[in-house]
Amino acid sequence: MFGYVRPPLEILPQEEADRFRRAYCGLCHILGERYGPAARMILNYDFTYLAILLSDPEEAAPCRRRCVSSPVRLRAYQPATAALELAADESVILAYWQLRDGVEDHGLWKGLGYRVSAAALRGGYRKAAAARPGFDGRVREQLAALSRLEGECCPSMDQAADTFAQLLAAAAAGVEDPVRRRVLEQMLYHLGRWVYLIDAADDLQKDAVSGNYNPVALRYGLRDGKWDEESRRAFARTLDHSIHMIATAFELWDFGVWRPLLESTVYTGLFAVGRAVLEGTFHKMPPREQRKKHKKAEETT
């Protein structure tokens, strides 16, 4: 995904921050073991959040080992589980098609990094697609729909966002319990919508320069990539609506030991990231200011 789905680790109790890091490291190990070293490069907070959403309500007893990022000190991590393997497979598929999308969106030289990364991940993608053909097919279908909208310069940001929302909701298809699957589909659908819109907002100025398709700019008539106050407020409301829908679905299921992490991301982290993107501070916010933003979001939501 894109790096926007971040738990507010700076304000979480140490126990919860450590739990998140164990899941993060566990997903890293599974990616490496199943798909080789290149797959480790796709690891990010977004994919870890997906892994946690798909995990069983009880955390498996952690293991400890050294790794490339911690060659001397033993580091705790979550061992392989069916949920983590599912998340790893789907993460590889999502990452590969995002890289291919990057190739399509950029010219020969600007797209070179995307080409190299996609080539490095191609073998892993083929293996993951063979393991999860239904999910791979859904991703292809929705990205083709998005490509058509881009070709038409469709001004409806809701139609464009729906394609990524549908794509991400398909990540829950492998969950056996029908009630849990429905809850996760709803959470992931609205999370996918939020991610697509926040990414488009984050790219406003870059897309204004390059001329790339940006449905948020088209919806609000932002020709220079800059917000006017009325449009900014209206867009913030639609972002908040998606978060409220995620929260509504979240409250329908018992996520066990993972609830504090998931809850803090939904009720604090997403609001803080949204504000930072709209204020233009997301990519340059130092840690201390990040903590202030998280605290402010927590106080006002």
Side-chain angles (χ1 to χ4, degrees):
M1 293 196 282
F2 302 87
Y4 299 111
V5 186
R6 302 184 177 188
L9 295 176
E10 301 85 357
I11 62 173
L12 281 174
Q14 189 63 44
E15 178 185 3
E16 300 304 328
D18 290 343
R19 196 189 309 280
F20 181 84
R21 292 186 180 98
R22 287 195 294 271
Y24 183 91
C25 291
L27 182 58
C28 181
H29 286 307
I30 292 174
L31 286 169
E33 290 164 3
R34 289 171 76 85
Y35 300 111
R40 293 178 185 267
M41 296 187 300
I42 72 171
L43 180 69
N44 62 25
Y45 280 7
D46 290 355
F47 288 139
T48 305
Y49 193 77
L50 175 62
I52 290 172
L53 268 178
L54 296 173
S55 290
D56 294 332
E58 295 298 327
E59 182 183 13
C63 301
R64 299 176 67 85
R65 64 186 283 191
R66 296 179 180 87
C67 62
V68 174
S69 63
S70 183
V72 177
R73 184 180 177 183
L74 292 172
R75 180 174 290 180
Y77 69 97
Q78 277 289 291
T81 63
L84 279 176
E85 289 174 353
L86 174 62
D89 296 345
E90 293 180 341
S91 296
V92 168
I93 292 169
L94 280 170
Y96 177 77
W97 285 114
Q98 285 172 357
L99 290 169
R100 292 301 308 167
D101 188 54
V103 171
E104 297 297 326
D105 286 346
H106 296 79
L108 178 63
W109 294 111
K110 289 185 178 180
L112 184 60
Y114 291 100
R115 293 177 189 275
V116 171
S117 298
L121 197 59
R122 187 176 296 120
Y125 158 71
R126 289 172 177 165
K127 181 179 177 182
R132 314 285 178 182
F135 180 69
D136 181 58
R138 189 68 174 274
V139 170
R140 287 171 176 261
E141 176 187 336
Q142 294 305 320
L143 289 179
L146 179 58
S147 180
R148 289 193 295 272
L149 293 174
E150 291 177 352
E152 298 166 0
C153 260
C154 177
S156 172
M157 67 179 190
D158 289 327
Q159 287 187 52
D162 179 71
T163 61
F164 193 77
Q166 295 279 0
L167 180 159
L168 196 56
V175 175
E176 293 183 1
D177 184 291
V179 177
R180 182 180 178 225
R181 182 171 63 248
R182 181 61 175 164
V183 168
L184 291 177
E185 284 173 347
Q186 287 297 300
M187 286 188 68
L188 288 169
Y189 177 88
H190 292 287
L191 184 63
R193 181 181 188 275
W194 182 89
V195 166
Y196 183 88
L197 292 177
I198 204 69
D199 182 60
D202 201 18
D203 286 346
L204 276 174
Q205 293 190 22
K206 182 175 68 175
D207 289 341
V209 173
S210 67
N212 285 344
Y213 173 70
N214 191 306
V216 173
L218 292 173
R219 166 63 179 81
Y220 294 105
L222 308 176
R223 300 184 182 278
D224 58 357
K226 296 180 181 178
W227 292 101
D228 61 76
E229 194 55 38
E230 182 179 353
S231 296
R232 189 200 304 267
R233 285 198 300 267
F235 184 71
R237 285 195 295 270
T238 198
L239 288 179
D240 290 353
H241 172 72
S242 289
I243 297 174
H244 294 151
M245 295 301 291
I246 296 168
T248 298
F250 170 72
E251 296 296 344
L252 297 176
W253 189 257
D254 178 10
F255 289 92
V257 298
W258 304 105
R259 180 179 176 87
L261 274 171
L262 297 171
E263 184 177 52
S264 64
T265 304
V266 171
Y267 290 105
T268 301
L270 298 183
F271 284 109
V273 168
R275 288 189 180 95
V277 168
L278 290 178
E279 292 170 3
T281 60
F282 179 70
H283 296 285
K284 57 187 178 183
M285 200 186 304
R288 180 173 295 179
E289 291 303 313
Q290 287 181 358
R291 288 194 291 270
K292 289 180 180 178
K293 289 288 181 183
H294 287 309
K295 289 178 180 177
K296 182 178 179 182
E298 190 174 50
E299 291 169 357
T300 58
T301 58

